[in-house]
């Protein structure tokens, strides 16, 4: 009896395991016609994705090995799981990214090559695992370099002709014609277009043809624990949400050939037509190495960007730290931005850059939907070393940058703070040690508070604070602890209502140096 019972038990257990394996929603790609030997298996992978969706959803599992594929179309309720030791490698044959699909490319909705991983109008899509996604972007980079570097006009390739035919009537601003005329739009590695519940977690992504993770018009996007590595490559931004809401980026490590993280919402008239802001964004616990900017907002921001927090990040070796950029003609409002607890080192240009003059060829125009706006931006608790320029703020006369504050900032830089055309700006507990020029230079601005600002490395015959054409400014609670030649220099016919209060100038040789165009008295007490 015992022997019969054991046989029956083992038989039932084996049957249970078989049924469980068949119904748990996992599809091993090696059992679905794929291979891990580096041979093209796009069709098998796509069939597995379609099969999982038909079954209500599931996980496409890539065990260790080398998988070669062309563009993949993601579907509802699908997880791509790439195991440790597995590499999902994308073909460098451009034909494998046809037919064209609708996507947002550099802020304009158009038809072009399919992103390597693409989903449209779907929900619940996930890419996870400890494996690698390799975009093999070098072929794409070389093609754009070939076109851009040509000294004479080239005959259009078949792909350029296809792009032209697929986008008849697409309007762009005149300044953008140079880019549009190349008509060769490298695809982003990942774009979900109008999707919900998007998650990318744990994987390493490298060698993207263009922007790497680029959700567009999506709701509830999470990118967590992702490593992105795109060395020596053009326009290979790391993470670029555009016109998305409820975006969470955390614990990522990024080193790329353009901006590490960029928040966008569309370009010019096309961005205003779609009128979809990016909002409710959190960026936390990330490290950024090589890149044009650590976290950048713009320059495609015509749909608006609001409610963004950036915290607990390290920028080490980026060209800039925090950068906001826009230009006349873009329109859009960037507002309600909070940055805190940031450490920067080896910043090649500006630690902070806020620029409404990104296109220097524009001229002043009446305020309209074309006028970009930066307002309600607050920075606190930042340490910077080996920085080239601490900060540059550049507004436009018809729309000064408004309501900007810096608190508890300590930066070692070659050059200091430079603020031009702004209003309602406050600096509290800001120390900037410079090698060239004033630590704080402000011009063409109004409603300014400088509270406990200082330098421990004053420069001979150079003011700590330099003002030109400013009004309604309070300079208070300042104490230069080290011997200083000049604390404040003021000039400009438009300068007025400047107050000094509760300052200690025990170590200052010249408290105030007046410029030749200054026509007012400065009140001190």
């Amino acid at each position: 009896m015992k022997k019969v019972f054991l046989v029956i038990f083992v038989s039932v257990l084996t049957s249970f395991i078989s049924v469980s394996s068949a119904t748990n929603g996992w599809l091993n790609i090696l059992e679905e016609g794929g291979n891990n030997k580096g041979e093209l298996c796009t069709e098998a992978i796509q069939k597995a994705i379609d099969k999982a969706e038909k079954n209500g959803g599931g996980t496409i599992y890539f065990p260790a090995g080398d998988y070669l594929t062309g563009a993949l179309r993601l579907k509802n309720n699908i997880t791509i799981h790439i195991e440790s030791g597995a590499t999902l490698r994308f073909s460098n044959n451009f034909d494998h990214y046809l037919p064209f699909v609708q996507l947002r490319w550099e802020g304009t909705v158009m038809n072009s090559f399919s992103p390597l991983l693409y989903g449209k109008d779907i929900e619940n899509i996930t890419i996870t695992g400890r494996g690698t996604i390799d975009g093999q972007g070098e072929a794409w980079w070389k093609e754009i370099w070939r076109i851009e570097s040509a000294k004479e006009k080239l005959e259009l390739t078949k792909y350029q002709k296809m792009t032209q035919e697929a986008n008849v009537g697409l309007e762009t601003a005149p300044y953008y014609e140079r880019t549009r005329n190349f008509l060769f739009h490298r695809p982003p590695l990942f774009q979900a277009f109008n999707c919900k519940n998007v998650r990318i977690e744990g994987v390493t992504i490298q060698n993207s043809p263009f922007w790497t993770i680029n959700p567009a018009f999506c709701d509830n996007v999470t990118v967590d624990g992702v490593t992105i590595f795109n060395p020596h490559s053009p326009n290979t931004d790391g993470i670029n949400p555009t016109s998305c809401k409820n975006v969470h980026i955390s614990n990522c490590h990024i080193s790329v050939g353009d901006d590490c993280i960029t928040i966008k919402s569309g370009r010019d008239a096309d961005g205003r037509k779609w009128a979809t802001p990016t909002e409710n964004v959190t960026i936390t616990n990330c490290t950024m190495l090589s890149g044009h900017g650590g976290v950048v907002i713009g320059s495609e921001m015509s749909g608006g960007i609001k409610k963004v927090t950036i915290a607990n990040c390290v920028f080490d070796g980026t060209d800039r730290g925090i950068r906001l950029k826009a230009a006349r003609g873009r329109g859009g409002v960037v507002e309600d931005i909070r940055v805190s607890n940031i450490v920067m080192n080896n910043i090649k240009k500006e630690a902070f850059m806020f620029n409404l003059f990104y296109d220097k060829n524009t001229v002043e125009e009446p305020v309209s939907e074309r006028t970009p706006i930066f307002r309600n931006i607050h920075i606190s608790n930042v340490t910077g070393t080996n920085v080239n320029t601490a900060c540059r703020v550049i507004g436009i006369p018809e729309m000064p940058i408004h309501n900007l504050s810096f608190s508890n900032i300590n930066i070692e830089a070659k050059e200091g703070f430079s603020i031009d055309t702004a209003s309602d700006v406050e600096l509290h507990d800001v120390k900037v040690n410079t090698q060239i020029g004033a630590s704080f230079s402000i011009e063409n601005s109004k409603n300014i508070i400088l509270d406990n600002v200082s330098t421990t490395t004053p420069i001979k015959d150079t003011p700590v604070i330099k003002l030109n054409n400013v009004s309604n400014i309070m300079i208070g609670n300042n104490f230069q602890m080290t011997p200083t030649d000049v604390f404040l220099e003021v000039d400009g016919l438009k300068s007025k209502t400047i107050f000094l209060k509760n300052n200690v100038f025990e170590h200052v040789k010249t408290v105030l140096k007046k410029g030749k165009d200054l026509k007012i008295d400065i009140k001190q007490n």
Side-chain angles (χ1 to χ4, degrees):
M1 287 293 293
K2 290 181 180 179
K3 186 174 183 180
V4 173
F5 174 79
L6 180 61
V7 171
I8 293 172
F9 178 79
V10 171
S11 177
V12 170
L13 181 61
T14 303
S15 175
F16 173 78
I17 292 172
S18 177
V19 170
S20 176
S21 176
T23 60
N24 66 6
W26 283 63
L27 297 177
N28 186 328
I29 196 63
L30 297 179
E31 298 174 0
E32 300 296 324
N35 73 84
N36 60 356
K37 307 300 182 184
E39 299 170 1
L40 191 69
C41 55
T42 311
E43 185 177 357
I45 299 172
Q46 190 62 60
K47 282 183 176 179
I49 292 172
D50 297 344
K51 177 180 177 180
E53 186 197 33
K54 186 176 180 180
N55 292 336
T59 298
I60 315 303
Y61 173 59
F62 291 81
D66 188 5
Y67 302 86
L68 182 64
T69 181
L72 297 173
R73 185 73 177 255
L74 302 175
K75 301 294 180 68
N76 285 297
N77 306 313
I78 295 298
T79 294
I80 302 291
H81 184 86
I82 305 170
E83 189 58 87
S84 296
T87 298
L88 183 60
R89 199 181 310 276
F90 282 85
S91 167
N92 55 20
N93 182 338
F94 302 158
D95 285 344
H96 293 162
Y97 303 90
L98 301 175
F100 282 0
V101 299
Q102 185 186 45
L103 77 166
R104 176 175 266 179
W105 192 87
E106 277 202 353
T108 301
V109 175
M110 61 174 61
N111 298 303
S112 191
F113 289 109
S114 172
L116 283 54
L117 291 160
Y118 176 67
K120 185 173 185 291
D121 304 327
I122 58 176
E123 61 183 20
N124 303 332
I125 53 177
T126 301
I127 298 171
T128 188
R130 301 298 297 171
T132 299
I133 299 173
D134 190 340
Q136 295 204 121
E138 187 174 5
W140 299 93
W141 308 338
K142 286 182 176 179
E143 178 64 2
I144 197 64
W145 281 329
R146 181 189 72 83
I147 295 169
E148 288 188 343
S149 63
K151 296 181 180 179
E152 55 188 32
K153 189 173 182 180
L154 300 175
E155 183 177 346
L156 294 180
T157 66
K158 73 171 185 177
Y159 302 112
Q160 290 173 303
K161 292 176 182 176
M162 289 170 64
T163 303
Q164 200 172 47
E165 293 166 359
N167 294 285
V168 173
L170 183 66
E171 295 183 7
T172 56
Y175 77 94
Y176 195 50
E177 285 302 310
R178 177 181 175 275
T179 302
R180 288 282 297 116
N181 284 341
F182 291 140
L183 296 171
F184 182 75
H185 299 145
R186 294 166 288 149
L189 190 142
F190 171 90
Q191 186 172 112
F193 188 101
N194 190 38
C195 297
K196 292 182 178 180
N197 306 330
V198 178
R199 174 177 287 270
I200 302 177
E201 183 176 4
V203 294
T204 293
I205 305 176
Q206 62 191 29
N207 302 320
S208 177
F210 187 58
W211 298 353
T212 306
I213 298 175
N214 180 211
F217 305 102
C218 292
D219 183 6
N220 191 20
V221 176
T222 298
V223 183
D224 187 12
V226 171
T227 297
I228 300 176
F229 185 55
N230 297 322
H232 316 299
S233 50
N235 311 112
T236 52
D237 299 39
I239 304 171
N240 293 31
T242 176
S243 293
C244 294
K245 61 182 178 180
N246 305 319
V247 177
H248 323 89
I249 301 169
S250 58
N251 308 312
C252 293
H253 181 72
I254 304 172
S255 184
V256 293
D258 207 319
D259 297 324
C260 294
I261 297 175
T262 307
I263 304 170
K264 299 176 179 290
S265 65
R267 180 186 291 269
D268 302 330
D270 192 74
R272 295 194 294 273
K273 179 183 74 175
W274 288 83
T276 306
T278 293
E279 58 184 323
N280 301 346
V281 178
T282 63
I283 300 170
T284 58
N285 303 335
C286 294
T287 54
M288 288 78 151
L289 303 182
S290 175
H292 292 176
V295 177
V296 178
I297 297 177
S299 60
E300 297 90 351
M301 39 68 69
S302 302
I305 295 167
K306 56 187 177 181
K307 292 176 285 185
V308 177
T309 67
I310 304 161
N312 305 332
C313 293
V314 174
F315 308 144
D316 191 350
T318 58
D319 289 357
R320 296 176 175 88
I322 302 295
R323 185 184 189 190
L324 279 65
K325 53 182 179 177
R328 295 180 176 110
R330 297 287 165 93
V333 179
V334 173
E335 62 184 345
D336 304 334
I337 313 297
R338 286 275 180 180
V339 179
S340 63
N341 299 342
I342 305 295
V343 174
M344 303 188 196
N345 180 55
N346 190 26
I347 304 300
K348 299 175 180 62
K349 295 183 180 180
E350 298 89 3
F352 304 105
M353 180 65 166
F354 306 93
N355 186 8
L356 285 176
F357 225 121
Y358 188 56
D359 183 356
K360 298 180 178 64
N361 296 318
T362 60
V363 296
E364 187 171 348
E365 60 183 61
V367 174
S368 69
E369 65 173 6
R370 291 170 42 86
T371 307
I373 299 171
F374 289 171
R375 65 190 181 202
N376 302 342
I377 302 161
H378 305 286
I379 318 291
S380 63
N381 304 327
V382 178
T383 298
T385 54
N386 300 317
V387 172
N388 187 64
T389 301
C391 176
R392 292 184 69 197
V393 176
I394 307 171
I396 50 178
E398 67 270 29
M399 188 55 66
I401 294 173
H402 176 71
N403 194 7
L404 174 65
S405 74
F406 297 88
S407 303
N408 193 23
I409 310 293
N410 195 313
I411 294 180
E412 303 277 345
K414 184 177 180 180
E415 299 183 51
F417 268 66
S418 172
I419 299 173
D420 186 352
T421 316
S423 68
D424 298 272
V425 178
E426 298 187 17
L427 277 66
H428 299 276
D429 304 321
V430 178
K431 181 182 292 183
V432 181
N433 295 333
T434 63
Q435 301 173 24
I436 299 173
S439 292
F440 308 93
S441 297
I442 304 174
E443 59 183 318
N444 305 316
S445 299
K446 65 180 181 178
N447 303 340
I448 312 294
I449 294 176
L450 300 179
D451 169 38
N452 187 25
V453 301
S454 65
T455 179
T456 58
T457 59
I459 300 170
K460 183 178 176 58
D461 298 323
T462 300
V464 176
I465 302 170
K466 186 174 183 179
L467 307 177
N468 186 47
N469 289 326
V470 299
S471 64
N472 205 28
I473 179 166
M474 170 66 78
I475 303 172
N477 303 313
N478 297 288
F479 175 36
Q480 275 297 116
M481 297 184 183
T482 53
T484 301
D485 280 354
V486 182
F487 178 72
L488 174 64
E489 179 179 322
V490 183
D491 202 355
L493 292 171
K494 296 180 181 179
S495 289
K496 60 182 179 179
T497 55
I498 299 172
F499 302 89
L500 278 74
K501 188 173 183 179
N502 297 333
N503 298 289
V504 177
F505 295 128
E506 184 72 20
H507 304 300
V508 177
K509 184 185 296 184
T510 302
V511 172
L512 173 63
K513 180 179 178 181
K514 296 184 178 181
K516 61 183 179 61
D517 291 329
L518 185 67
K519 304 301 181 183
I520 62 164
D521 291 327
I522 295 175
K523 297 179 181 180
Q524 302 185 51
N525 58 30

